Amino acid sequence: MAAVAPIRLADYTPWAFQLPVIELNVDVQSNHVVVSSRLELTPQSAGAPLLLRGVDLTIESLAIDDVPLEPSEWSYREGLLTINKTPAQPFVLATRCRIDPYNNSSLEGLYASCGLLSTQCEAEGFRRISLHPDRPDVLSQWRVRIEAPRGSCPVLLSNGNPIGTEAVGTDRHAVTWDDPFPKPSYLFALVAGDLREIRDRYTTSSGRDVALRLHVEAGDEAFTAHAMASLKRSMAWDESVYNLEYDLDEYNIVAVRHFNMGAMENKSLNIFNSKLVLADAETATDAELERIESVIAHEYFHNWSGNRITCRDWFQLSLKEGLTVFRDQSFTADLHSESVKRIEDVSMLRNTQFREDAGPTAHPVKPAEYQAIDNFYTTTIYEKGAELIRMLHTLLGETRFMRGMATYVSRFDGTAATTEDFVQAIADGACADGQPLGFDLAKFRQWYHQAGTPHLEVKRSWDDALGQMTVQMKQSTSATPGQPEKQPLVLPLAMALVGPEGRVGDEALVVMDGDTMTTTLQGQPNSPAPALSFLRRFSAPLIVQMDQSLQENLQLFSADDDPFSRWDAGQRLARQVLLARAQGGCDQAVEAALIEAMQQRITAGQATDRADLAALLSLPGMAELEALQSPVDPLALYDAMRSWTAELGRQLQVPLRQVLSVVRHDWPLAWPAGQGGRALTGLAWRWLAAAGDEEVRREALQAVSGSSMTLARSALRALQPLEVEERDQALACFYDRWQNKPVILDAWFALEASAPRLNGLERVQQLLEHPRFDPLAPNSLRAVLGGFTANVTTFHAVDGSGYRFMAEQVAAVDARNPITASRMAKVFSRCGSYGPERQRVMREAINLLASYPLSANTAEVVQLLNP
Ligand code: TRP
Ligand code: ZN
């Protein structure tokens, strides 16, 4: 494998030219596309050679100031066009290239999907469309003319405002778009095809009338109301909370079946994976509806945090992504339940980001170097990045944080900024009230540069006479690849004392920034030691190590006034139970006490806070458990999960049945109403079905043909782990009903691929050959291969057959779609945590993958796995 020279943050230099204006002409033909460009270039220093990026382009002509360049005046190799001699004064470079979107399976640049031409330019896709510096700090005003056959491409879209349409001959037409806001090439977008439009309007707070246009394939019009309503809610929220308004006369969203990620925030022309647009209660689950709402919001919020203020270079990726995730998390919390959202987000962080931070692909929120930037669209950049913004918010409070945001926006609007710029602007804006910042900014900045999850060791002692708890804390972060030494970080730690009746005294926000710290909390003198409610709301992304008794956890579980901390106490007990079971034992005292506490919560909570109750009772994820076991035995953990679920179903049968009879009334309520009741239904079905409840199996089977997708999928999830007749009937029924809806059928592919079966591997091979399986759709690949890697018994077979199979599949995908393949290759990053036998066979699979001719993207991941 050829090692690619890494790109380093330390090597950043501005580009040698400015490019204030770009004109593009895109000529769509039936078997190729011709892209002509006119770049207005201003040299920043005399005589600099002009270097432009271009990948898979056939260059037809180049001219400077209308004078064609001779072949001797330029070279084009390895993705780089070099023109050595350029005028010292501003000049115009005209280029004409031919591209082939019809055979582009990478889904980067311009590509065809189901007859539709669409683009994906982030991060470095524009170089597959036209010659360009293709770096985010080069901002231009763009004018784009698209010419195409009227029949196959009645709809022609690009960024900004349409400023003209033309008829070209009898069967062709052209539309010209003008975007007044300077933007980098990664935000360019173009769509040409036959789409149906759903239109709505939104009036901004200052009175701008915005046309909202959603574009979908014919037949999908009926499934757009949720996305449209979500967009309007997002626009209103950003105005009322951040005082940020939309800035153009139209906002377009296009749904595309073949898409590498979730969605893309191109200026005024968002392109979405169709699974994140098309939905209603019958075709999408409550969780999917909430996800769609949050991704619509995410892309909309990028208009300010990403587009109006963009990134200087790709090392700053979290500048826009961390901030925008923080914004979309706050949006969902405001619209729904703050506590449930926090629990979901922390659970996801622990099961994905903590794992990444502890493995061979660990990297800082601001990496110092990379080979393929696509590999850095990670949970660390996104979710840990959002946690850093959240900590700033916690440290400063809402008012000061928002003043900081206003400073950031006014200072950097229209520019390409850095994370340092952001942190400084937040600090300056916050301190405009004349008060000190309240924490060490230099030490806070370390969070951006240091990989790994900090561990915080906590010890307490209780002074009965004074009624004081002394809390001693010590922070440390383990070495990560390339970072042996770690610095102490600024940790905002929210804590309180909790007695049997609830919180005692106020919550304290303790800011720690050294290796160790001691603090005291005031409680009631001459009373039994209260429980310590620590890291309330998960005020910092770290792992707490503290000896807490069963009694203390139970007290927090039932009496803490912070719903997050209640949940967290339950999670600690559940992890204890599951790990003991996985080691072949059983912690009977903990099990009995936890079940009793759960029973009490179920009885008390079913009448009112059903969504809270469902969140409170949720079980820890596999990844979290694996992090606590050494060496990891995935099969033992999986069995522990199964046996504990069955135990819960047996022991809690009476209250769970009682719950089912009550929450039934929530079933028909339209989202977001009724979601708590439906979540409890799913949980009760899962546990009762695992305990062998035949009535529940029948009820679940019926729900698969009912009118709620949430209940149908909950039913499938409850039946899926069981090798019973109803499972296969339910899967077959779901397939029959939805076989013509690819977005929905992907859920079936995932369930089939992950269902425990004796012939699991064979089943997965059949799925890859299935007539409804689309090997060019990343959604389908993720469903089947992602489902397969979640199929613990099959993927982790001790003979290594599952790992080998996965290596072959990743190599096959890599030949067509490197972005999707390299993300999949990361399943092998857990290798080092397994026992010697499993490690050996997984290592063999990694070597097998390495033996294929791999893309730069996948080669980089494999190299990290094989240090
Ligand atoms: N900027 C997009 C977002 O988070 C991410 C994205 C969409 C992306 N498509 C991509 C990143 C393709 C890399 C490659 O909203
Ligand atoms: Zn984003």
Side-chain angles (χ1 to χ4, degrees), residues 120 122 261 263-265 298-299 302 320-321 377 382:
Q120 172 54 41
E122 186 175 9
M261 308 275 275
M264 180 63 212
E265 70 265 23
H298 179 98
E299 306 311 331
H302 267 316
K320 73 178 178 80
E321 295 304 348
Y377 286 77
Y382 278 66

Side-chain angles (χ1 to χ4, degrees), residues 447-492:
W447 271 109
Y448 281 91
H449 302 289
Q450 193 161 292
T453 309
H455 286 237
L456 192 68
E457 216 180 286
V458 183
K459 297 210 165 79
R460 291 80 43 87
S461 58
W462 172 246
D463 185 320
D464 206 40
L466 292 174
Q468 274 182 355
M469 185 177 283
T470 304
V471 184
Q472 288 173 286
M473 299 163 292
K474 182 165 178 277
Q475 66 165 306
S476 62
T477 304
S478 304
T480 53
Q483 278 192 343
E485 303 294 332
K486 302 288 180 177
Q487 305 297 315
L489 299 166
V490 175
L491 309 178

Side-chain angles (χ1 to χ4, degrees), residues 735-746:
Y735 175 83
D736 284 342
R737 184 166 175 199
W738 300 112
Q739 54 177 313
N740 295 319
K741 287 253 174 271
V743 165
I744 303 172
L745 204 60
D746 283 335

Side-chain angles (χ1 to χ4, degrees), residues 72 82 125 132 253 259 314 316 346 423 453 461 516 548 560 722 839 852 859:
S72 63
T82 306
H132 192 277
I253 292 180
F259 202 73
W314 292 118
Q316 323 296 330
V346 173
V423 173
T453 309
S461 58
T516 61
Q548 277 171 303
D560 200 321
L722 314 173
Q839 261 193 51
Y852 286 86

Side-chain angles (χ1 to χ4, degrees), residues 720-731:
Q720 194 239 26
L722 314 173
E723 307 214 24
V724 296
E725 204 181 309
E726 286 93 342
R727 171 184 74 180
D728 295 321
Q729 285 172 349
L731 283 165

